Amino acid sequence: MSNIHLILGGARSGKSAYAEKLATDSGQPVTYIATAQVYDVEFGQRVEHHKVRRPAHWKTVEQPFNLGATLQAHAKANEVVIVDCLTLWLAQCICPDCDRPENLSWQHERSALLETLPTLAGTVLLVSNEVGMGIVPLGEINRQFQDEQGRLNQAIAQLADKVSFIAAGLPLTLKG
């Protein structure tokens, strides 16, 4: 069975770097599942920053959708999988203007992930933003995103063996 570790934090809190350190320290082979789609130059630069920081020998899988199936295909005993990040994956799944498969359903994507996580082998590090610490956003899609992100984080935290909150690059153990 897997060792699921949910790593939460705000933007630029150090959550990805923390997940990468845990993976490196494990000494095991690492698969990095990158969920982002690049829509503009500035975001492309952010993605490039993450790519440059990763060791060259890590396997990278760029997969913005079908995360449950992607994890099933790549999670293995004595290996580490990093998913970076659940927040971008969720945004792409619910955003009406994002480039996504026409038949994609957020409810199906979410259910598939939650059903798959407990069945996986190896260590799975899930990076996700904590978006509920600010104001309630204006706009229906923004509130929907905040609500769905909060619900997703809660559901995964229930399944996870360990949950960490990262602030200013420092981890705080919430569970495990």
Side-chain angles (χ1 to χ4, degrees), residues 125-152:
L125 305 174
L126 301 162
V127 177
S128 189
N129 283 49
E130 175 51 63
V131 298
M133 299 176 76
I135 61 170
V136 175
L138 295 176
E140 181 180 354
I141 189 70
N142 298 323
R143 287 188 301 274
Q144 179 191 4
F145 169 77
Q146 186 179 52
D147 291 348
E148 292 298 334
Q149 184 69 68
R151 290 181 189 117
L152 178 65

Side-chain angles (χ1 to χ4, degrees), residues 87-108:
T87 307
L88 292 171
W89 171 70
L90 164 64
Q92 294 161 164
C93 288
I94 68 170
C95 173
D97 299 326
C98 289
D99 184 20
R100 63 179 182 185
E102 196 169 301
N103 61 348
L104 183 124
S105 154
W106 164 239
Q107 291 75 21
H108 174 75

Side-chain angles (χ1 to χ4, degrees), residues 74-86:
H74 295 282
K76 297 177 176 65
N78 303 312
E79 294 190 17
V80 177
V81 173
I82 297 175
V83 175
D84 197 3
C85 76
L86 294 175

